[in-house]
Amino acid sequence: MSILDDHPLRHLDPEMLATKGPEIIDTVMRELGLQDNAVYRAIRAGATPAAALGLDKKHTEALYEKGYDLLQVGDTVRARAVLTTLMTLDPSEERGAYALAASYQMEGRFETAAQLYTNYITMDATNPEGYLRLGECLMAVGELDNAEGCFDLAREEARRGHGSPGSAAVADQRLAEVRALKNMPAKG
């Protein structure tokens, strides 16, 4: 079993959520007397919470920058608070998703980080950095075959010109590390 198999929402039926979710939310909002709330109506029409609240890119950028700065000095708890706020306001903010995952990885909370990197990869499947970090989390918990697959994907995307200039070299290095670990004799 992989750490990626234990997602907290895995038992939810996506089809049921897609068909019944809006109806349930509408009922709750009506019962609370909030069905005419402008923010709710904007979100219901497809706006992000940030847009519904009148926030623009400069506001979400400021949140990202603050979260990133906190990560840079190792303050993962405060960074996570800022980045969680950002992701609540704009769930499609790719850099925020990546940084939020990094906050957990920095603390050694690899299972949570892996789930969040997987979310990030769904937003940007061509960026090798997401695969590299996911592979590192998998390697840290001993899922060497899965980690190797992530590093292979990272190298492939880097060679296609995606990611930062050093991504291919990092992928090659991580592949060598994971393959060395796979070839080590078992402790007995």
Side-chain angles (χ1 to χ4, degrees), residues 5 14 25 32 40 77 116 121 123 131 133 136 161 169 173 180:
D5 294 337
I25 292 169
L32 293 172
Y40 169 69
V77 173
L116 292 169
I121 290 168
M123 296 176 182
Y131 296 109
R133 302 297 87 78
E136 290 167 355
Q173 179 183 349

Side-chain angles (χ1 to χ4, degrees), residues 82-101:
V82 172
L83 294 165
T84 299
T85 300
L86 171 60
M87 295 308 298
T88 301
L89 290 169
D90 187 355
S92 64
E93 169 52 60
E94 295 172 10
R95 296 173 311 155
Y98 180 89
L100 183 60

Side-chain angles (χ1 to χ4, degrees), residues 17-37:
L17 287 177
T19 57
K20 296 287 186 188
E23 176 185 324
I24 293 167
I25 292 169
D26 286 344
T27 300
V28 169
M29 294 303 283
R30 204 171 28 260
E31 287 176 6
L32 293 172
L34 298 173
Q35 70 274 12
D36 294 325
N37 177 281

